[in-house]
Amino acid sequence: MRRRGLFAAALLLAAAGPDEPGLAVGREGGAARVLPEAVLAALPAQRVSAPAEHGGAERAYEGPSLWAVLEAAGVADRPHDQVRQAVLATGRDGYVVVLAMGEVSPEFAGRPAIIALRQDGMALAPTQWRLVLPGEKRGGRTVRELEGLSVATLR
């Protein structure tokens, strides 16, 4: 099922127009590719619950896993390299969160993290997408108005 979702995403990515809004995904210091909403929506969706704000009520979020998005963008490397990589998630306001690649890689911790395209069953506009990590005690690593993802390789 996962391969089918990645294949569909690859076909949609090839057909995406240059002005279509989406999520920029790339490597630190390199060119990013924009994954449009159709590509992200074609990836297998996960559903998680997390507070919308610090200490707020739980909300339901739905969207592809962060890992599936990294794979679709071609920036998910082999496990040997993942142990020294980090994912930087940036919001439109400049807020940046750093995750160890091993946190979200299924080869290591496989911790759930999603790119929320829906909140409480309602579609979010691309400018309102967010990175959601269920189980966070303070919610400080949730990125609202997610603009881009970048993979950095450390020494």
Side-chain angles (χ1 to χ4, degrees):
M1 181 65 130
R2 189 173 121 203
R3 282 190 176 176
R4 211 173 321 156
L6 289 175
F7 179 71
L11 289 176
L12 289 168
L13 186 57
D19 296 328
E20 195 168 348
L23 181 64
V25 184
R27 295 185 186 278
E28 195 70 13
R33 72 190 309 179
V34 176
L35 299 181
E37 184 172 12
V39 170
L40 296 175
L43 296 171
Q46 294 184 357
R47 190 176 172 99
V48 301
S49 293
E53 303 297 331
H54 300 291
E58 291 275 315
R59 308 294 288 269
Y61 296 98
E62 187 177 335
S65 71
L66 173 58
W67 185 255
V69 171
L70 297 174
E71 281 188 317
V75 296
D77 293 329
R78 60 195 177 127
H80 175 77
D81 296 321
Q82 293 169 14
V83 296
R84 60 191 187 102
Q85 291 179 321
V87 179
L88 288 77
T90 305
R92 294 186 192 291
D93 61 357
Y95 189 71
V96 177
V97 165
V98 178
L99 300 162
M101 184 71 86
E103 277 187 88
V104 295
S105 168
E107 296 290 329
F108 293 101
R111 185 163 184 237
I114 70 162
I115 306 304
L117 307 179
R118 301 179 73 74
Q119 179 179 312
D120 296 330
M122 302 294 292
L124 296 170
T127 58
Q128 298 299 314
W129 293 341
R130 57 171 59 198
L131 172 67
V132 177
L133 290 94
E136 290 281 300
K137 291 182 180 174
R138 292 189 46 115
R141 294 195 308 164
T142 292
V143 179
R144 293 179 300 209
E145 299 179 8
L146 184 65
E147 181 173 67
L149 301 168
S150 180
V151 174
T153 301
L154 309 172
R155 291 183 191 215

